[in-house]
Amino acid sequence: MDKINCLIVDDEPIARDILEAYCKNLSELNVVASCANALEAKNVMQRESVDIMFLDINMPVLDGISYAKTLRNSPQIIFTTAYKKFAADAFDLAACDYLLKPFAFDRFIIAMDKALDKLKSPKSSTNRPAFSNQPTDDFVFVKADNKIYKILFADLLYAEAQGNYTKIVTVGTSLMPKMAFSNFEESLPKSLFLRTHRSFLINKSKIDHIEGNRIFIKKTEIPIGSNYREQLLKHIGL
């Protein structure tokens, strides 16, 4: 099995040591370097192939968020920080995961599983990391109106593409994050959610009934695109 190359970037020596120790417990991981700042990391990235980067946010000279924005061919990024306030910026960059210091080994494992799943995905060659196509949690976080909302999959009814925004409708509210529709779709488990139209995806457990080329969820009519009808019927066992 090919090794997964990891790069640790953190200005705190203890934090670097902890991450290195965690990585050594997983035989498939290879730490190519452990850097104290983003400039050191930049030099490593020029000569090494990196699959996963553990990136501290609050660093001197160039902080982790700013450095991540400069990466042209980004590895999967797992942000590490002691400050919750940076979570929104991390979500804006579609980080693979966000670890709040101090984090235990089991939480590290969850982050690694997300990164490894993403690396195995056919879309892993994209320039920006994204959340795993098969989430291990039963919820997803989205940013809207300068707040971060936790959306339970069980509460999500449907989503609709609206330009650069995605309308997300749950049993209790409606949100409009500035988020690509395709990115939101990738954050959902395919076993529960499916596309019915180029601009709509639904929670199949919330379907009330189907009539012609329309799906009814509560009082909302959702169109079924001709290119999606056959796949929809297969998903619901017809």
Side-chain angles (χ1 to χ4, degrees):
M1 177 180 176
D2 292 337
K3 290 281 189 176
I4 303 297
N5 288 337
C6 300
L7 174 62
I8 297 169
V9 190
D10 197 306
D11 64 328
E12 297 178 1
I14 294 177
R16 296 197 301 273
D17 290 344
I18 291 172
L19 277 169
E20 284 194 65
Y22 283 174
C23 288
K24 287 179 180 178
N25 286 314
L26 301 179
S27 59
E28 67 267 38
L29 302 185
N30 173 47
V31 177
V32 297
S34 184
C35 303
N37 57 63
L39 297 182
E40 288 183 18
K42 179 178 172 59
N43 291 331
V44 173
M45 290 287 288
Q46 290 174 345
R47 65 176 189 270
E48 299 281 359
S49 173
V50 175
D51 302 302
I52 298 172
M53 181 187 295
F54 297 96
L55 183 58
D56 186 25
I57 293 180
N58 190 24
M59 295 187 296
V61 184
L62 186 64
D63 65 80
I65 295 290
S66 299
Y67 174 56
K69 291 177 181 178
T70 70
L71 297 174
R72 296 181 60 187
N73 295 301
S74 176
Q76 299 302 314
I77 294 179
I78 299 174
F79 280 113
T80 62
T81 183
Y83 303 96
K84 291 182 180 180
K85 64 182 180 179
F86 295 118
D89 292 327
F91 286 131
D92 279 347
L93 286 171
C96 183
D97 208 344
Y98 180 95
L99 296 178
L100 189 63
K101 300 176 184 177
F103 49 87
F105 183 61
D106 59 343
R107 183 62 183 87
F108 169 84
I109 291 292
I110 291 173
M112 285 304 309
D113 285 344
K114 289 182 179 181
L116 293 174
D117 283 347
K118 186 60 185 174
L119 287 171
K120 294 173 185 176
S121 165
K123 295 184 178 181
S124 64
S125 61
T126 53
N127 287 340
R128 293 179 60 182
F131 293 103
S132 168
N133 285 340
Q134 297 297 322
T136 56
D137 300 313
D138 60 355
F139 57 87
V140 66
F141 287 103
V142 298
K143 180 184 176 185
D145 304 321
N146 295 318
K147 298 178 183 178
I148 297 173
Y149 295 88
K150 177 182 178 180
I151 299 176
L152 296 174
F153 295 148
D155 292 340
L156 179 55
L157 300 178
Y158 68 91
E160 178 184 357
Q162 295 197 359
N164 294 326
Y165 292 80
T166 296
K167 181 181 179 181
I168 301 171
V169 180
T170 72
V171 292
T173 191
S174 178
L175 302 172
M176 189 79 78
K178 189 174 183 181
M179 182 182 193
F181 187 61
S182 59
N183 286 350
F184 182 64
E185 182 180 23
E186 287 181 359
S187 71
L188 304 176
K190 290 178 172 55
S191 59
L192 301 177
F193 297 89
L194 59 145
R195 187 85 74 98
T196 63
H197 184 275
R198 62 187 179 86
S199 298
F200 285 88
L201 63 86
I202 65 164
N203 183 340
K204 66 181 180 181
S205 69
K206 302 299 183 181
I207 296 175
D208 291 323
H209 68 278
I210 298 174
E211 183 179 337
N213 289 322
R214 294 173 297 167
I215 293 172
F216 289 80
I217 296 179
K218 294 190 179 295
K219 295 181 180 180
T220 302
E221 295 183 23
I222 296 172
I224 301 174
S226 58
N227 294 332
Y228 298 89
R229 184 175 180 81
E230 182 179 352
Q231 192 67 18
L232 166 66
L233 296 176
K234 284 183 180 179
H235 268 284
I236 62 175
L238 297 176

